[in-house]
Amino acid sequence: MKIAFLDLSTWDYKIESAYQIPLGGSQSALCYLAENLAEQGHEIFLLNGTKTAGRSRGVSCLPLDDNDDIRQLFRSLDAAIVLNQAGWGKKLKPLLGYATKLFLWTQQVPSLKAMQALGDRAELDAYDRLIFVSNWQRDRFLDSFAIDREKTVVLRNAIAPAFANLFPEQTDILAAKTNPPILAYTSTPFRGLDLLLSIFPKIREAIPGTRLQVFSSKKVYQMATELDESVYGILYQKCRQMEGVEYIGSIPQPQLAEKLRSIAMLAYANTFEETSCIAVVEAMASGCFVVTSELAALPETTAGFGHLVSVEGVEGFSSVRDWQFSQRPDWQNYADRFLEKTVQVLRNWQSEESASLLKKQVEYIQKQCTWTVRSREWVRYLEKICGINERKNPEVVRAIDREVRGQLQQGNSGEAIARCQRAIAQYPQSAILYKSLGNALQTQGKIDAAIRAYAKAIELDPNFAEARANLGSMYYQKRQLTMAIKFYKQAIELEPNLTGVYWNLSKVLEENGQLEEAKIYRDRAVERSVE
């Protein structure tokens, strides 16, 4: 597919910026998603406030100017995806090609000024689909604007690549944590830092030696240091002066991942309505206990692993300009509950029960919340909405696939092979037909020919999990166990619900002498069979 991401802010960044400088969550998510889509072979563009055009980690980065080249690009796209700012749909739609679909991908709450244009019916109708990052967020937009639910989807955020595999399987997570424990605050300053600092001395009193590291500033929004200090300097200075607190500020994601690996807890006394919260997901990937608010999308994001504190009784939530909540009676009651929960978790943080929870938490994030996983979800969705699936595999192709399966069930493999070959001559870009051909060839024992057919199917559709699983089985028949393991694992990564592949993989691993890993996949197969 040919896809352009449009960030209509004035921010100057490229894909590599997410690895090099502190960058806001929405922009970081865009960078990692765009990079992963490019790695899958799609033609990806980022149009934003960059001052210089160029390639960045496989993505073409261009200044968002009104010129003939940009207009020609717009007309050639499969999908144009606007980040976070409504109000441009009516202007952009006439510039796009007839078949180009326009998407609004927002990580904001509906009350923000940047979203108010959705109250204009014509603006709302200009978007073919709206993409949200949590069910909570989508429901708020449905309540606020006249949006057709069928035109919406939830595609969640994920962890930065730096947070992937910080703890490989069988790693002792607690052994990596500093003792006495270190707590971290990693969000922007207006989302609860004021409240956390007000109770930290009591946390330290209850758990002697506890320290707090604060990774926070508005630098992630490309705000000048002078302006940042003029608004939030009082908080930063309080950090610098408080015993046991180290103010570090915002740092690039690779450095943050390295720091969080040894930190015991994300202490996020959140006073802000989060639509997702990448900071929480990345702390979970880092093996940190998460204590935060039972507020907005955070229950979804923590997925049952967080220690959530009720916000019952509070009156209003923080914003960029309204964040000094530590003296408010309604939030002071919350602060007392947050203190109690934090101390409770810290008193038990090195127990076997806690170690087991962290292990499951990290496994969940690594399986479900990487940009490799998310990008494939995006591909499936975009292909569906843009009609790519129909172009690659029209109904006639799917009918032929069903016909071939019927022939194989009747033992007519020769007819099945001939039918596939005739169909491929007519539809040479169909991965499904090459998969069907591979199935027919293997029934005749033509393993090498089947391998070539499955490999071609994967070349045409890199996300074709069934073809990768079948290729793994062919290599198993040839007793090339390492290759079989490779393709079985790839199939599971693409489609985690392929129960039979877990059984096959456990068998091959056992035959290859990898007994511990074989048991892991056998247990997962049993879990999925029960489900």
Side-chain angles (χ1 to χ4, degrees), residues 189 193 197 200 212-219 224-226 228-250:
L193 180 56
L197 291 175
F200 179 70
L212 170 64
Q213 293 184 344
V214 177
F215 305 89
S216 181
S217 76
K218 289 297 288 295
K219 191 176 180 181
T225 301
E226 296 77 13
D228 186 14
E229 287 285 346
S230 71
V231 179
Y232 303 106
I234 186 174
L235 273 179
Y236 306 151
Q237 190 60 25
K238 191 172 183 179
C239 290
R240 296 181 183 108
Q241 294 175 346
M242 186 173 290
E243 184 178 358
V245 178
E246 180 183 5
Y247 178 72
I248 297 172
S250 301

Side-chain angles (χ1 to χ4, degrees), residues 266-434:
L266 178 73
Y268 188 19
N270 176 48
T271 57
F272 178 82
E273 290 184 302
E274 293 277 12
T275 60
S276 172
C277 196
I278 295 173
V280 162
V281 182
E282 291 178 341
M284 292 170 68
S286 304
C288 299
F289 298 99
V290 174
V291 180
T292 190
S293 306
E294 191 175 9
L295 172 62
L298 287 173
E300 284 180 63
T301 301
T302 52
F305 295 102
H307 302 271
L308 303 181
V309 179
S310 170
V311 295
E312 183 179 0
V314 304
E315 299 175 1
F317 305 104
S318 63
S319 65
V320 174
R321 295 179 179 83
D322 182 15
W323 50 267
Q324 294 178 316
F325 282 15
S326 62
Q327 302 305 313
R328 286 177 42 165
D330 56 332
W331 278 98
Q332 191 55 57
N333 291 332
Y334 163 86
D336 292 340
R337 294 193 294 271
F338 189 90
L339 168 63
E340 181 181 358
K341 178 67 72 173
T342 301
V343 171
Q344 176 188 340
V345 174
L346 288 175
R347 282 181 172 152
N348 193 46
W349 78 284
Q350 290 188 304
S351 68
E352 289 186 10
E353 180 184 0
S354 295
S356 176
L357 174 70
L358 288 183
K359 182 175 184 294
K360 292 176 181 177
Q361 171 184 296
V362 170
E363 286 179 353
Y364 164 77
I365 296 295
Q366 296 302 331
K367 289 179 191 174
Q368 304 292 336
C369 304
T370 67
W371 282 111
T372 300
V373 172
R374 289 287 179 266
S375 64
R376 288 170 181 145
E377 294 172 359
W378 273 80
V379 167
R380 287 193 289 270
Y381 182 70
L382 293 178
E383 286 188 339
K384 175 184 174 183
I385 301 305
C386 297
I388 305 298
N389 286 333
E390 191 59 34
R391 279 184 258 165
K392 290 195 302 187
N393 296 301
E395 176 55 35
V396 64
V397 165
R398 293 191 285 273
I400 293 168
D401 179 52
R402 293 191 294 270
E403 179 186 343
V404 169
R405 276 184 275 145
Q407 290 170 333
L408 292 176
Q409 289 171 359
Q410 295 170 11
N412 299 325
S413 58
E415 291 181 16
I417 291 171
R419 185 69 182 98
C420 288
Q421 290 171 336
R422 291 196 304 273
I424 286 170
Q426 189 173 0
Y427 302 101
Q429 298 303 309
S430 173
I432 286 179
L433 291 176
Y434 277 99

